[in-house]
């Protein structure tokens, strides 16, 4: 399992958070959270009905959106007070994302998918290539030169997890990571996510309906109509 310690993991404290979307019918309040605290290294599940605001919460916590009000504190950093460029930098340094549909580039090799951020960023390619190949071995992808589009769905999600772990994130965010997998494959991916977070003490925020995955979390927060239930 990826065993190098994550950088220092800060606590998360959301306060008086409001996220709205402008829709054709008007402004929709998608999320209202008075207070939510998540200690460093917590495995935290987020569940709730479709459209209840789970993805919005994940994106707010991961610095992918700017809230209309409130604080998103990771330790000393309040993402709500950062401009977009600062949030991008924070995210690249701190967070790794895993999505339901993998978001891989099918024409690229498994290795190049893990290295995408390196090709687009200013990181050293040589150093990261060694780490990426090692991560792929650890998540159970024996041939890093295979095209991602030729891998099974479970293997593709493993590649996506390796990619999320590349920069040793203190924070792993996963949006329904097992939803498009069969039960056995989903369980293996859940094992891998949990073990990866535990091995480095990272905080894991996992949106899921999957009882097997939620059962592995330290705590599960339920959201309904944009509020903690
Ligand atoms: P969940 O992940 O729980 O299914 P979401 O956080 O995706 O819920 O969505 C919460 C609400 O916000 C839904 O009503 C959804 O339609 C709306 N919504 C989500 N993203 C956007 C967006 N980019 N623009 C407008 N409305 C959105
Ligand atoms: Mg969602």
């Amino acid at each position: 399992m990826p065993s190098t310690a994550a950088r220092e993991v800060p606590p998360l404290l959301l306060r008086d958070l409001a996220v709205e979307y402008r829709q054709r019918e008007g402004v929709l309040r998608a999320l209202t959270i008075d207070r939510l605290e998540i200690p460093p290294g917590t495995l935290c599940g987020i569940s709730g009905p479709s459209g209840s605001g789970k993805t919005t919460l994940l994106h707010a916590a991961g610095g992918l959106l700017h809230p209309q009000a409130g604080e998103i504190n990771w330790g000393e950093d309040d993402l709500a007070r950062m401009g977009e460029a600062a949030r991008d930098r924070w995210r690249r340094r701190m967070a790794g994302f895993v999505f339901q549909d993998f978001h891989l580039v099918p024409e690229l090799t498994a290795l190049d998918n893990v290295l995408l951020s390196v090709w687009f960023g200013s990181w050293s390619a040589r150093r990261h290539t060694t780490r990426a190949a090692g991560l792929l071995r650890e998540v159970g992808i024996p041939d890093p030169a295979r095209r991602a589009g030729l891998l099974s769905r479970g293997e593709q999600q493993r590649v996506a997890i390796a990619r999320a772990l590349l920069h040793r994130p203190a924070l792993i965010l996963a949006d329904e990571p097992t939803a498009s997998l069969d039960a056995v494959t989903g369980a293996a991916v859940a094992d891998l996510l949990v073990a990866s977070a535990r091995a480095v003490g990272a905080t894991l925020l996992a949106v899921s309906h999957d009882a097997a995955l939620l059962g592995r979390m330290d705590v599960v927060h339920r959201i309904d109509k944009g509020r903690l239930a």
Side-chain angles (χ1 to χ4, degrees):
M1 214 35 59
S3 52
T4 318
R7 53 197 81 245
E8 195 176 328
V9 181
L12 171 64
L13 175 59
L14 304 178
R15 249 196 320 222
D16 302 321
L17 187 68
V19 179
E20 295 172 349
Y21 296 113
R22 201 175 300 278
Q23 296 187 329
R24 219 172 311 154
E25 308 76 38
V27 171
L28 171 83
R29 170 67 71 90
L31 196 62
T32 307
I33 292 185
D34 298 336
R35 185 185 172 87
L36 175 62
E37 199 169 354
I38 297 175
T42 304
L43 306 190
C44 174
I46 300 161
S47 77
S50 180
S52 58
K54 304 181 298 297
T55 294
T56 301
L57 173 57
L58 198 72
H59 287 189
L64 284 173
L65 59 77
H66 184 79
Q68 274 56 46
E71 300 170 16
I72 304 167
N73 299 296
W74 284 102
E76 306 286 294
D77 298 320
D78 181 358
L79 304 189
R81 292 169 59 118
M82 290 182 191
E84 199 168 332
R87 259 191 296 126
D88 283 350
R89 280 195 300 276
W90 177 91
R91 203 170 52 244
R92 274 183 268 138
R93 189 161 46 86
M94 298 295 285
F97 281 86
V98 178
F99 300 94
Q100 175 176 348
D101 297 316
F102 325 138
H103 290 204
L104 301 180
V105 182
E107 296 79 16
L108 294 181
T109 65
L111 185 68
D112 283 340
N113 270 283
V114 176
L115 287 169
L116 273 180
S117 65
V118 173
W119 304 140
F120 287 113
S122 54
W123 283 288
S124 142
R126 187 161 0 122
R127 185 150 48 87
H128 282 90
T129 302
T130 309
R131 173 161 169 80
L135 278 169
L136 283 170
R137 266 195 309 278
E138 288 169 23
V139 301
I141 302 294
D143 181 3
R146 282 204 78 197
R147 290 227 315 270
L150 300 176
L151 299 172
S152 72
R153 300 180 68 73
E155 287 171 330
Q156 291 191 43
Q157 194 58 306
R158 289 167 179 275
V159 173
I161 291 171
R163 180 179 58 190
L165 297 175
L166 184 66
H167 300 296
R168 299 185 173 84
L171 166 64
I172 301 169
L173 301 120
D175 198 352
E176 312 213 22
T178 62
S180 64
L181 304 175
D182 64 70
V184 172
T185 311
V189 162
D191 281 346
L192 179 61
L193 268 177
V194 167
S196 301
R198 285 271 190 245
V200 297
T203 297
L204 172 67
L205 298 186
V207 168
S208 189
H209 300 285
D210 177 349
L213 176 59
L214 292 174
R216 312 279 303 274
M217 300 293 107
D218 299 322
V219 58
V220 176
H221 293 291
R222 215 184 131 70
I223 302 206
D224 196 15
K225 300 192 180 76
R227 292 178 176 273
L228 289 173

